[in-house]
Amino acid sequence: MGPQHPSTHGVLRLVVTLDGENVVDVQPDIGYLHSSVERMMEYRTYLQNIALVDRGMDYLSAMANEEVWCLATERLAKIDVPERARYIRTIMLELTRISSHLIWLGTFGIDLGAVTAFLWAMRERERIMDLFESATGGRLHHVYFRIGGVYEDLPDGWTERCAEFCDYFLDRLPEYDELLTGNPIFLARTQGIGILPRDKAIAMGASGPVARASGIAYDVRKAHPYEVYDRVQFDVPVRQEGDCFARYLVRMEEMRQCVRIIRQCLEALPAGEIRAKVAVTLKVPKGEVYARTESPRGDLGIFLVGDGSDRPYRVKIRAPAFSNLYALTEMMRGWKVADVIAILGSIDIVLSDVDR
Amino acid sequence: MSTDPKYVPRSQVLPLDKALEVVDSLPGGGIILTKVEEVLNWGRAASIWPLTFGLACCAIEMMQAFATRFDMDRMGIIPRATPRQADCIIVAGRATIKIAPIVRRLWEQMPEPKYVISMGSCATCGGPFYYDNYSILKGIDQVIPVDVYVPGCPPRPEALIEGFLKLQDKIKKEPFLRRRITNAAAAQS
């Protein structure tokens, strides 16, 4: 199956061994989108790399990549981020999470034959794109975070529009419940399908919504708080079933929690500086650091080695989608060939994140 | 207001029943004369079916262009899942050296006449992945011939729509029937 297949969400090839209609084994063949990002980052300055991580890593959640890169550099260079910038970053990260989950919801719907879900999810996403565009200038690749803060302050009236979007979005979420959560066809395709047991999820290194749907109550935002996540109230949705439907429910609940975080941040948004004084050709001291964040797909980490120059010596990216893809074989074995589509859709991979 | 002398404002276009009256009053009434090729091209230009083939980031903007708000269906642009039913392939995103033969094979599987839109900087020339990179193809035109280049990183959905309008212009001017007859004659002799 693949690499060109309408439901692989990118260029993934799956070597599926079948016994009649039953899946005996699945071997993912990756590397069709390998863009040698880790290598390229060694040749670019710390500032230039912000633009690169947007494109080279998980492109559905560009801000999450900028965040982990800036976080790693700031920790190594010991730069303090001003309060206001931290809040702005948190708002942007949560908006990114919503927009990424909306794309997943839309494509998951299409895979299971519910095209309406795609059109509705894209309608909501366009409003987030408008917010991004007015604040950062870009729709998909923002290059908005800077080392030590953010590029520009929020434009006039942005916070009001963001609050308006939160209200609008919470109004819309019950519509999806009506469309999908109670839909018998959707339930038949997802409930009890592609079960990933808790111990297997840990063994395979699954993280993010995939792990949380298998009963692992782990969220980097709670376990190792960054930005202002230790100051806002939010719940981490956990399900015990470990099937496709549990993964769907976890993501839907996460979107509600995102809105909750954004509302708290908008209320507490302080005035003040948005960027620390950092040289454009920033020289980072010798040493190594590991920064981890909770991207929409899971535990996204960067291991960064600095050698005292203005370019990193080595960068290693721990991509959540890559580890989640490992668990795919475990989930698919023993199910029917028609379930392959549902299971693949439910783990929400981005091939750019897998291959890098 | 357009400066084109042939431009007719929409308010001055006759309603359809009036237009039929005019046509009926012509000698041999009810017949509209035009070139066969022009009618065919008019139909072809208004129903470009692209192949849904997303590679990277640009594919997300492509999806957005097909979805709510931009809605390319209204221009007869409907995505198809198989190359056998497609007129046009949008190469959306960076192509690696590993995927290049597959892009080529998909293009070969499409029936003639076929068109290629290269969407975004990466597909056009390698984009931000041009330097210090060992795995990305420096432009999809090394593998398949490109008709329309859409610049941007990634291009906005409006830019993709503009690209499709350019492709429609190209199709409308194309002597495709003539070329097909000449080719067939050449093949016979």
Side-chain angles (χ1 to χ4, degrees), chain A residues 93-115:
Chain A
L93 285 173
E94 291 310 308
L95 280 176
T96 303
R97 195 179 310 275
I98 297 179
S99 80
S100 170
H101 281 352
L102 280 175
I103 284 263
W104 159 80
L105 181 69
T107 47
F108 192 42
I110 282 199
D111 289 350
L112 300 180
V115 184

PDB file of all heavy atoms in Angstrom, chain A residues 93-115:
ATOM      1  N   LEU A  93       0.886  28.199  20.863  1.00  0.00           N
ATOM      2  CA  LEU A  93       1.072  26.745  20.863  1.00  0.00           C
ATOM      3  C   LEU A  93      -0.268  26.034  20.945  1.00  0.00           C
ATOM      4  O   LEU A  93      -0.492  25.027  20.257  1.00  0.00           O
ATOM      5  CB  LEU A  93       1.943  26.321  22.044  1.00  0.00           C
ATOM      6  CG  LEU A  93       3.427  26.612  21.907  1.00  0.00           C
ATOM      7  CD1 LEU A  93       4.145  26.309  23.197  1.00  0.00           C
ATOM      8  CD2 LEU A  93       4.015  25.792  20.787  1.00  0.00           C
ATOM      9  N   GLU A  94      -1.158  26.561  21.760  1.00  0.00           N
ATOM     10  CA  GLU A  94      -2.452  25.886  21.911  1.00  0.00           C
ATOM     11  C   GLU A  94      -3.306  26.072  20.665  1.00  0.00           C
ATOM     12  O   GLU A  94      -4.034  25.165  20.274  1.00  0.00           O
ATOM     13  CB  GLU A  94      -3.181  26.393  23.158  1.00  0.00           C
ATOM     14  CG  GLU A  94      -2.519  25.980  24.461  1.00  0.00           C
ATOM     15  CD  GLU A  94      -2.211  24.490  24.531  1.00  0.00           C
ATOM     16  OE1 GLU A  94      -3.107  23.680  24.294  1.00  0.00           O
ATOM     17  OE2 GLU A  94      -1.059  24.142  24.811  1.00  0.00           O
ATOM     18  N   LEU A  95      -3.209  27.253  20.031  1.00  0.00           N
ATOM     19  CA  LEU A  95      -3.933  27.440  18.761  1.00  0.00           C
ATOM     20  C   LEU A  95      -3.395  26.457  17.721  1.00  0.00           C
ATOM     21  O   LEU A  95      -4.156  25.877  16.935  1.00  0.00           O
ATOM     22  CB  LEU A  95      -3.763  28.874  18.258  1.00  0.00           C
ATOM     23  CG  LEU A  95      -4.654  29.934  18.891  1.00  0.00           C
ATOM     24  CD1 LEU A  95      -4.292  31.298  18.347  1.00  0.00           C
ATOM     25  CD2 LEU A  95      -6.115  29.664  18.635  1.00  0.00           C
ATOM     26  N   THR A  96      -2.072  26.271  17.730  1.00  0.00           N
ATOM     27  CA  THR A  96      -1.469  25.310  16.809  1.00  0.00           C
ATOM     28  C   THR A  96      -2.009  23.911  17.054  1.00  0.00           C
ATOM     29  O   THR A  96      -2.311  23.174  16.125  1.00  0.00           O
ATOM     30  CB  THR A  96       0.053  25.306  16.998  1.00  0.00           C
ATOM     31  OG1 THR A  96       0.539  26.614  16.807  1.00  0.00           O
ATOM     32  CG2 THR A  96       0.722  24.365  16.043  1.00  0.00           C
ATOM     33  N   ARG A  97      -2.152  23.575  18.349  1.00  0.00           N
ATOM     34  CA  ARG A  97      -2.650  22.247  18.685  1.00  0.00           C
ATOM     35  C   ARG A  97      -4.065  22.053  18.134  1.00  0.00           C
ATOM     36  O   ARG A  97      -4.382  21.025  17.560  1.00  0.00           O
ATOM     37  CB  ARG A  97      -2.638  22.061  20.204  1.00  0.00           C
ATOM     38  CG  ARG A  97      -2.789  20.631  20.655  1.00  0.00           C
ATOM     39  CD  ARG A  97      -2.739  20.536  22.160  1.00  0.00           C
ATOM     40  NE  ARG A  97      -1.612  21.224  22.736  1.00  0.00           N
ATOM     41  CZ  ARG A  97      -0.400  20.706  22.865  1.00  0.00           C
ATOM     42  NH1 ARG A  97      -0.189  19.476  22.478  1.00  0.00           N
ATOM     43  NH2 ARG A  97       0.576  21.397  23.379  1.00  0.00           N
ATOM     44  N   ILE A  98      -4.896  23.083  18.289  1.00  0.00           N
ATOM     45  CA  ILE A  98      -6.266  22.969  17.765  1.00  0.00           C
ATOM     46  C   ILE A  98      -6.235  22.787  16.253  1.00  0.00           C
ATOM     47  O   ILE A  98      -6.896  21.913  15.702  1.00  0.00           O
ATOM     48  CB  ILE A  98      -7.110  24.207  18.139  1.00  0.00           C
ATOM     49  CG1 ILE A  98      -7.259  24.328  19.652  1.00  0.00           C
ATOM     50  CG2 ILE A  98      -8.477  24.117  17.498  1.00  0.00           C
ATOM     51  CD1 ILE A  98      -8.042  25.533  20.080  1.00  0.00           C
ATOM     52  N   SER A  99      -5.428  23.616  15.568  1.00  0.00           N
ATOM     53  CA  SER A  99      -5.442  23.551  14.104  1.00  0.00           C
ATOM     54  C   SER A  99      -4.906  22.214  13.620  1.00  0.00           C
ATOM     55  O   SER A  99      -5.395  21.651  12.639  1.00  0.00           O
ATOM     56  CB  SER A  99      -4.662  24.716  13.508  1.00  0.00           C
ATOM     57  OG  SER A  99      -3.297  24.464  13.555  1.00  0.00           O
ATOM     58  N   SER A 100      -3.918  21.685  14.330  1.00  0.00           N
ATOM     59  CA  SER A 100      -3.375  20.382  13.933  1.00  0.00           C
ATOM     60  C   SER A 100      -4.394  19.273  14.148  1.00  0.00           C
ATOM     61  O   SER A 100      -4.581  18.395  13.296  1.00  0.00           O
ATOM     62  CB  SER A 100      -2.112  20.106  14.738  1.00  0.00           C
ATOM     63  OG  SER A 100      -1.701  18.792  14.561  1.00  0.00           O
ATOM     64  N   HIS A 101      -5.077  19.315  15.296  1.00  0.00           N
ATOM     65  CA  HIS A 101      -6.095  18.292  15.558  1.00  0.00           C
ATOM     66  C   HIS A 101      -7.256  18.420  14.570  1.00  0.00           C
ATOM     67  O   HIS A 101      -7.898  17.418  14.246  1.00  0.00           O
ATOM     68  CB  HIS A 101      -6.629  18.434  16.988  1.00  0.00           C
ATOM     69  CG  HIS A 101      -5.700  17.845  18.026  1.00  0.00           C
ATOM     70  ND1 HIS A 101      -4.601  17.111  17.687  1.00  0.00           N
ATOM     71  CD2 HIS A 101      -5.713  17.888  19.374  1.00  0.00           C
ATOM     72  CE1 HIS A 101      -3.979  16.718  18.782  1.00  0.00           C
ATOM     73  NE2 HIS A 101      -4.630  17.184  19.827  1.00  0.00           N
ATOM     74  N   LEU A 102      -7.533  19.643  14.115  1.00  0.00           N
ATOM     75  CA  LEU A 102      -8.634  19.809  13.158  1.00  0.00           C
ATOM     76  C   LEU A 102      -8.298  19.148  11.831  1.00  0.00           C
ATOM     77  O   LEU A 102      -9.155  18.516  11.211  1.00  0.00           O
ATOM     78  CB  LEU A 102      -8.932  21.293  12.953  1.00  0.00           C
ATOM     79  CG  LEU A 102      -9.775  21.953  14.040  1.00  0.00           C
ATOM     80  CD1 LEU A 102      -9.886  23.437  13.773  1.00  0.00           C
ATOM     81  CD2 LEU A 102     -11.149  21.339  14.116  1.00  0.00           C
ATOM     82  N   ILE A 103      -7.039  19.314  11.391  1.00  0.00           N
ATOM     83  CA  ILE A 103      -6.621  18.636  10.153  1.00  0.00           C
ATOM     84  C   ILE A 103      -6.761  17.130  10.327  1.00  0.00           C
ATOM     85  O   ILE A 103      -7.266  16.428   9.446  1.00  0.00           O
ATOM     86  CB  ILE A 103      -5.154  18.968   9.834  1.00  0.00           C
ATOM     87  CG1 ILE A 103      -5.045  20.370   9.270  1.00  0.00           C
ATOM     88  CG2 ILE A 103      -4.567  17.956   8.870  1.00  0.00           C
ATOM     89  CD1 ILE A 103      -5.001  20.448   7.783  1.00  0.00           C
ATOM     90  N   TRP A 104      -6.330  16.647  11.501  1.00  0.00           N
ATOM     91  CA  TRP A 104      -6.443  15.204  11.752  1.00  0.00           C
ATOM     92  C   TRP A 104      -7.909  14.770  11.697  1.00  0.00           C
ATOM     93  O   TRP A 104      -8.237  13.758  11.072  1.00  0.00           O
ATOM     94  CB  TRP A 104      -5.854  14.864  13.121  1.00  0.00           C
ATOM     95  CG  TRP A 104      -6.369  13.570  13.625  1.00  0.00           C
ATOM     96  CD1 TRP A 104      -5.939  12.334  13.262  1.00  0.00           C
ATOM     97  CD2 TRP A 104      -7.463  13.380  14.516  1.00  0.00           C
ATOM     98  NE1 TRP A 104      -6.709  11.388  13.885  1.00  0.00           N
ATOM     99  CE2 TRP A 104      -7.640  11.993  14.658  1.00  0.00           C
ATOM    100  CE3 TRP A 104      -8.307  14.247  15.200  1.00  0.00           C
ATOM    101  CZ2 TRP A 104      -8.640  11.470  15.467  1.00  0.00           C
ATOM    102  CZ3 TRP A 104      -9.290  13.716  16.001  1.00  0.00           C
ATOM    103  CH2 TRP A 104      -9.451  12.332  16.122  1.00  0.00           C
ATOM    104  N   LEU A 105      -8.775  15.557  12.338  1.00  0.00           N
ATOM    105  CA  LEU A 105     -10.193  15.202  12.384  1.00  0.00           C
ATOM    106  C   LEU A 105     -10.766  15.142  10.976  1.00  0.00           C
ATOM    107  O   LEU A 105     -11.498  14.213  10.628  1.00  0.00           O
ATOM    108  CB  LEU A 105     -10.944  16.236  13.229  1.00  0.00           C
ATOM    109  CG  LEU A 105     -12.431  16.027  13.411  1.00  0.00           C
ATOM    110  CD1 LEU A 105     -12.673  14.819  14.262  1.00  0.00           C
ATOM    111  CD2 LEU A 105     -13.074  17.242  14.031  1.00  0.00           C
ATOM    112  N   GLY A 106     -10.413  16.140  10.164  1.00  0.00           N
ATOM    113  CA  GLY A 106     -10.925  16.196   8.798  1.00  0.00           C
ATOM    114  C   GLY A 106     -10.467  15.007   7.979  1.00  0.00           C
ATOM    115  O   GLY A 106     -11.271  14.342   7.322  1.00  0.00           O
ATOM    116  N   THR A 107      -9.167  14.706   8.045  1.00  0.00           N
ATOM    117  CA  THR A 107      -8.667  13.614   7.213  1.00  0.00           C
ATOM    118  C   THR A 107      -9.141  12.262   7.742  1.00  0.00           C
ATOM    119  O   THR A 107      -9.403  11.350   6.968  1.00  0.00           O
ATOM    120  CB  THR A 107      -7.136  13.644   7.160  1.00  0.00           C
ATOM    121  OG1 THR A 107      -6.637  13.798   8.486  1.00  0.00           O
ATOM    122  CG2 THR A 107      -6.640  14.775   6.311  1.00  0.00           C
ATOM    123  N   PHE A 108      -9.268  12.142   9.050  1.00  0.00           N
ATOM    124  CA  PHE A 108      -9.788  10.902   9.637  1.00  0.00           C
ATOM    125  C   PHE A 108     -11.222  10.689   9.157  1.00  0.00           C
ATOM    126  O   PHE A 108     -11.614   9.571   8.806  1.00  0.00           O
ATOM    127  CB  PHE A 108      -9.736  11.021  11.160  1.00  0.00           C
ATOM    128  CG  PHE A 108      -9.964   9.737  11.907  1.00  0.00           C
ATOM    129  CD1 PHE A 108      -9.383   8.560  11.472  1.00  0.00           C
ATOM    130  CD2 PHE A 108     -10.737   9.712  13.047  1.00  0.00           C
ATOM    131  CE1 PHE A 108      -9.577   7.381  12.163  1.00  0.00           C
ATOM    132  CE2 PHE A 108     -10.938   8.543  13.738  1.00  0.00           C
ATOM    133  CZ  PHE A 108     -10.365   7.364  13.293  1.00  0.00           C
ATOM    134  N   GLY A 109     -11.990  11.777   9.134  1.00  0.00           N
ATOM    135  CA  GLY A 109     -13.363  11.695   8.644  1.00  0.00           C
ATOM    136  C   GLY A 109     -13.408  11.237   7.206  1.00  0.00           C
ATOM    137  O   GLY A 109     -14.186  10.345   6.853  1.00  0.00           O
ATOM    138  N   ILE A 110     -12.545  11.808   6.359  1.00  0.00           N
ATOM    139  CA  ILE A 110     -12.520  11.424   4.942  1.00  0.00           C
ATOM    140  C   ILE A 110     -12.179   9.950   4.799  1.00  0.00           C
ATOM    141  O   ILE A 110     -12.794   9.217   4.030  1.00  0.00           O
ATOM    142  CB  ILE A 110     -11.503  12.285   4.178  1.00  0.00           C
ATOM    143  CG1 ILE A 110     -12.106  13.648   3.902  1.00  0.00           C
ATOM    144  CG2 ILE A 110     -11.091  11.617   2.883  1.00  0.00           C
ATOM    145  CD1 ILE A 110     -11.436  14.398   2.809  1.00  0.00           C
ATOM    146  N   ASP A 111     -11.190   9.496   5.595  1.00  0.00           N
ATOM    147  CA  ASP A 111     -10.784   8.091   5.509  1.00  0.00           C
ATOM    148  C   ASP A 111     -11.942   7.163   5.797  1.00  0.00           C
ATOM    149  O   ASP A 111     -12.054   6.087   5.213  1.00  0.00           O
ATOM    150  CB  ASP A 111      -9.675   7.805   6.528  1.00  0.00           C
ATOM    151  CG  ASP A 111      -8.377   8.458   6.131  1.00  0.00           C
ATOM    152  OD1 ASP A 111      -8.304   8.954   4.992  1.00  0.00           O
ATOM    153  OD2 ASP A 111      -7.445   8.486   6.949  1.00  0.00           O
ATOM    154  N   LEU A 112     -12.801   7.570   6.730  1.00  0.00           N
ATOM    155  CA  LEU A 112     -13.907   6.706   7.119  1.00  0.00           C
ATOM    156  C   LEU A 112     -15.184   7.068   6.372  1.00  0.00           C
ATOM    157  O   LEU A 112     -16.271   6.642   6.737  1.00  0.00           O
ATOM    158  CB  LEU A 112     -14.137   6.797   8.629  1.00  0.00           C
ATOM    159  CG  LEU A 112     -12.929   6.374   9.466  1.00  0.00           C
ATOM    160  CD1 LEU A 112     -13.230   6.493  10.924  1.00  0.00           C
ATOM    161  CD2 LEU A 112     -12.526   4.955   9.140  1.00  0.00           C
ATOM    162  N   GLY A 113     -15.070   7.922   5.365  1.00  0.00           N
ATOM    163  CA  GLY A 113     -16.216   8.199   4.514  1.00  0.00           C
ATOM    164  C   GLY A 113     -17.103   9.341   4.957  1.00  0.00           C
ATOM    165  O   GLY A 113     -18.190   9.512   4.445  1.00  0.00           O
ATOM    166  N   ALA A 114     -16.649  10.134   5.929  1.00  0.00           N
ATOM    167  CA  ALA A 114     -17.452  11.272   6.387  1.00  0.00           C
ATOM    168  C   ALA A 114     -16.816  12.556   5.874  1.00  0.00           C
ATOM    169  O   ALA A 114     -16.005  13.178   6.551  1.00  0.00           O
ATOM    170  CB  ALA A 114     -17.537  11.283   7.905  1.00  0.00           C
ATOM    171  N   VAL A 115     -17.170  12.931   4.638  1.00  0.00           N
ATOM    172  CA  VAL A 115     -16.522  14.090   4.020  1.00  0.00           C
ATOM    173  C   VAL A 115     -16.951  15.386   4.698  1.00  0.00           C
ATOM    174  O   VAL A 115     -16.216  16.372   4.721  1.00  0.00           O
ATOM    175  CB  VAL A 115     -16.822  14.121   2.514  1.00  0.00           C
ATOM    176  CG1 VAL A 115     -16.089  15.250   1.831  1.00  0.00           C
ATOM    177  CG2 VAL A 115     -16.429  12.812   1.878  1.00  0.00           C
TER     178      VAL A 115
END
